[in-house]
Amino acid sequence: YFDAVLRAEHTQELVVTKHPVQVGPAVIDHAYLQPARVVLEVAISDAMDSFVAGQYSSASSKSVSAYQTFKQVQASRIPIVLATRLQTYQNMVLIDVRGTEDNRTLRGFRGALYFEQIISASVSTTTVSVRP
């Protein structure tokens, strides 16, 4: 949980394949979805208690603890569920953590968290011969 979500940017891009031919326009034979991406611009204030008891309490301040927690989530590489107002995303990984330090963030954290969806495939095997 964050004290404030200042901006949430959702991206879902469709890629259309194009194959050039000698004469005429490129041939388009199919399209596929890129993994979903979400950018959250968040703020965490040291001036108020956390929404969840004990959350962001491992460092000298709530904002420093939050930044360290984001870095730990990123380093763990474990997919998470990301719930926003518009959609709930499965299998999201935190690919980039950006924190801003300036005169407005002396007693808090303001930064951007970049998430990308992992799309997994299932693989099956088929026996084509009785011989090994």
Side-chain angles (χ1 to χ4, degrees):
Y1 292 97
F2 312 108
D3 292 344
V5 176
L6 306 172
R7 184 177 67 90
E9 181 180 320
H10 302 258
T11 304
Q12 183 72 64
E13 182 182 357
L14 180 74
V15 176
V16 178
T17 62
K18 297 176 184 176
H19 305 285
V21 293
Q22 191 167 1
V23 177
V27 175
I28 299 171
D29 60 358
H30 71 282
Y32 60 93
L33 283 173
Q34 290 282 63
R37 291 186 211 121
V38 177
V39 178
L40 296 179
E41 187 175 323
V42 299
I44 296 174
S45 173
D46 292 336
M48 59 188 284
D49 289 335
S50 185
F51 289 113
V52 178
Q55 183 185 30
Y56 308 134
S57 60
S58 63
S60 59
S61 69
K62 190 170 86 169
S63 57
V64 172
S65 178
Y67 180 73
Q68 291 172 352
T69 301
F70 301 148
K71 298 297 280 182
Q72 289 170 356
V73 169
Q74 181 186 36
S76 73
R77 300 173 186 87
I78 297 173
I80 62 172
V81 176
L82 177 64
T84 69
R85 185 181 66 83
L86 296 180
Q87 185 172 343
T88 298
Y89 297 91
Q90 303 293 324
N91 295 328
M92 299 293 278
V93 290
L94 183 54
I95 60 170
D96 195 1
V97 177
R98 298 183 186 184
T100 302
E101 286 191 292
D102 59 18
N103 61 339
R104 296 179 299 164
T105 60
L106 184 60
R107 298 282 185 246
F109 171 83
R110 183 176 180 154
L113 306 174
Y114 292 74
F115 295 89
E116 187 168 332
Q117 190 174 39
I118 295 176
I119 298 175
S120 59
S122 59
V123 178
S124 62
T125 58
T126 305
T127 304
V128 294
S129 174
V130 294
R131 293 185 174 164

